[in-house]
Amino acid sequence: MTAKTIKSNAAVAWEVGKPLSMEVVDVMPPQAGEVRIKIIASGVCHTDAFTLSGEDPEGIFPCILGHEGGGIVESVGEGVTSVSVGDHVIPLYTPECGECKFCLSGKTNLCQKIRETQGKGLMPDGTSRFYKDGEPIFHYMGCSTFSEYTVLPEISLAKVNPEAPLKEVCLLGCGVTTGMGAVLNTAKVEVGATVAIFGLGGIGLSAIIGATMAGASRIIAIDINESKFELARKLGATDCINPKNFDQPIAQLVTEMTDGGVDYSFECIGNVDVMRSALECCHKGWGESIVIGVAGAGKEISTRPFQLVTGRVWKGSAFGGVKGRSELPKIVERYLKGAFQLDDFITHTMPLEDINQAFDLMHQGKSIRSVIHF
Ligand code: NAD
Ligand code: AHE
Ligand code: ZN
Ligand code: ZN
């Protein structure tokens, strides 16, 4: 049966800095190599707020934000073979085509097959699948999960075990995979290592889970919002620090606490000054700092080159270094076997029409993750 254009409730970001607006939009049928899915749930990540704020150089409006979702295949376009109607899927903002230079390198998860059009808010053929009153609305990060229905390329979907509750595993579409993966895949933290984690939102707390799994001997959790400390401790943080409670710079404090610095640090905020502190609290000779946070347009990082000359390493991590199609289904299986929990992260749930509350809660520091239920 050929799919037709359908109506979908969606939260549209019409312009920078304005609350999202509930609209009924037209969602076109999936074209060749594309899949239309019904979203069941979507987390709200800080990156959605970052783009809405106007800080994202790739931000393009009007668009439908959201990139941390879980859904069910509603229809498939011509030539789609890897998923079928009814399959449970997690949308991927980092696709996996398996054939581009990046996919074949064995060195990165950053598939570039559709990166150019995705960054312009468009499907690979250069057009949108979302329309309102005949005018196109842009996609976001290739996902646009703040819509009841959305369309993605087949290469941007991870097919997951249908027994996994999508209202929980949607968090594996970004935050939890990112934090855990940065520790386990990018840094490859080893048993007994010392770790400092800056920022205890969904990403930083997931990094704590990763550090605990890796067997880190010391996990120093740092945030200016002390309400995050209870969960940080529960997940395995050995020390919780509010930099505001100390006169000395945080890098110096962590260095003193750890006999010369940590083996690994993770910046999970998007603040370039904190990125510097995270590097400089690493141990001379071998300490590695992983940048996960996304900084605004025009921001740059700096340090004395001597920090690198003397053996500290600065790295970045996107989606935890995870190849979504081949690796995310296995992470879902590990979740189903009880390797880690997700419910601690879901501090709030709400229907799509209340989505602006999710952004308010995030800005007020009251949520870890709000999950939208469709
Ligand atoms: P969040 O808002 O839930 O958490 C950020 C935390 O940082 C908060 O607890 C806040 O109190 C804390 N914080 C703010 N300023 C601080 C400071 N100066 N010192 C210490 N703590 C401070 O955000 P999130 O959803 O966890 O995302 C964190 C960052 O990671 C964002 O920049 C987001 O865009 C980015 N991100 C990157 C990737 C990636 O693949 N690299 C994936 C997801 C999110
Ligand atoms: N568009 C921004 C950069 C945004 C960014 O860094 N995105 C991360 C994912 S954040 C998810 O919450 C990422 O994976 N980036 C890799 C990529 O290819 O976008 C900018 O600065 O232009
Ligand atoms: Zn995200
Ligand atoms: Zn590829």
Side-chain angles (χ1 to χ4, degrees), residues 1-6 27-37 73-80 83 85 123 125 128-129 139 149-154 157:
M1 194 181 73
T2 311
K4 297 189 167 52
T5 296
I6 49 177
V27 183
M28 307 262 295
Q31 301 300 298
E34 299 175 0
V35 180
R36 188 162 64 189
I37 69 175
V73 173
E74 179 268 342
S75 55
V76 298
E78 191 189 320
V80 169
V83 293
V85 172
M123 294 298 284
D125 71 352
S128 180
R129 301 290 164 267
H139 295 244
Y149 291 91
T150 186
V151 180
L152 291 101
E154 177 181 20
L157 289 173

Side-chain angles (χ1 to χ4, degrees), residues 1 13 34 39 57 95 99 136 174 185 189 206 218 227 231 233 272 279 288 300 309 327 332 359:
M1 194 181 73
E34 299 175 0
I39 294 288
E99 59 186 32
C174 184
N185 304 326
V189 169
S206 304
R218 193 134 182 222
S227 72
L231 181 53
R233 282 197 193 89
V272 293
L279 176 79
E288 293 191 12
E300 295 185 347
V309 168
E327 296 174 5
V332 169
F359 286 85

Side-chain angles (χ1 to χ4, degrees), residues 5-312:
T5 296
I6 49 177
K7 300 279 181 195
S8 174
N9 290 310
V12 176
W14 286 106
E15 50 184 310
V16 163
K18 295 280 163 61
L20 305 187
S21 169
M22 283 304 301
E23 308 284 354
V24 176
V25 300
D26 293 315
V27 183
M28 307 262 295
Q31 301 300 298
E34 299 175 0
V35 180
R36 188 162 64 189
I37 69 175
K38 177 166 174 46
I39 294 288
I40 300 299
S42 176
V44 180
C45 171
H46 201 113
T47 308
D48 298 306
F50 161 81
T51 301
L52 185 60
S53 76
E55 285 289 294
D56 184 351
E58 287 188 311
I60 182 165
F61 297 84
C63 69
I64 298 174
L65 295 167
H67 62 282
E68 193 177 72
I72 299 175
V73 173
E74 179 268 342
S75 55
V76 298
E78 191 189 320
V80 169
T81 54
S82 62
V83 293
S84 319
V85 172
D87 282 348
H88 287 211
V89 290
I90 293 180
L92 301 169
Y93 58 84
T94 304
E96 184 182 353
C97 75
E99 59 186 32
C100 75
K101 184 180 180 184
F102 290 74
C103 283
L104 293 175
S105 72
K107 296 180 179 187
T108 179
N109 64 332
L110 291 173
C111 172
Q112 295 296 292
K113 178 91 170 184
I114 59 169
R115 183 64 185 82
E116 201 176 329
T117 45
Q118 181 170 308
K120 291 180 178 148
L122 299 169
M123 294 298 284
D125 71 352
T127 64
S128 180
R129 301 290 164 267
F130 296 115
Y131 287 83
K132 175 73 185 168
D133 299 329
E135 294 296 321
I137 296 174
F138 291 106
H139 295 244
Y140 175 63
M141 288 176 71
C143 294
S144 291
T145 57
F146 297 161
S147 174
E148 208 180 345
Y149 291 91
T150 186
V151 180
L152 291 101
E154 177 181 20
I155 60 168
S156 303
L157 289 173
K159 180 174 158 181
V160 299
N161 188 334
E163 285 176 20
L166 291 169
K167 290 177 177 176
E168 294 171 13
V169 296
C170 61
L171 299 189
L172 294 171
C174 184
V176 175
T177 302
T178 295
M180 275 173 35
V183 174
L184 300 170
N185 304 326
T186 308
K188 298 188 172 63
V189 169
E190 64 274 1
V191 174
T194 55
V195 170
I197 293 168
F198 291 79
L200 306 176
I203 314 304
L205 291 165
S206 304
I208 296 179
I209 296 180
T212 302
M213 282 177 172
S217 62
R218 193 134 182 222
I219 303 172
I220 302 174
I222 300 155
D223 204 298
I224 51 175
N225 177 351
E226 295 185 19
S227 72
K228 308 290 178 101
F229 290 172
E230 187 184 345
L231 181 53
R233 282 197 193 89
K234 181 178 170 190
L235 297 173
T238 54
D239 306 74
C240 289
I241 296 178
N242 179 353
K244 291 188 168 170
N245 293 341
F246 296 85
D247 291 331
Q248 67 204 124
I250 184 69
Q252 192 185 334
L253 177 68
V254 173
T255 302
E256 285 174 14
M257 287 171 67
T258 53
D259 187 27
V262 289
D263 298 318
Y264 298 97
S265 72
F266 300 85
E267 200 279 354
C268 312
I269 302 164
N271 177 320
V272 293
D273 297 323
V274 179
M275 289 176 192
R276 179 175 191 154
S277 301
L279 176 79
E280 295 182 358
C281 76
C282 285
H283 203 286
K284 189 173 187 174
W286 63 76
E288 293 191 12
S289 186
I290 317 300
V291 173
I292 308 175
V294 172
K299 296 286 185 190
E300 295 185 347
I301 47 173
S302 64
T303 190
R304 286 188 66 218
F306 189 63
Q307 295 282 341
L308 308 184
V309 168
T310 52
R312 294 171 192 83

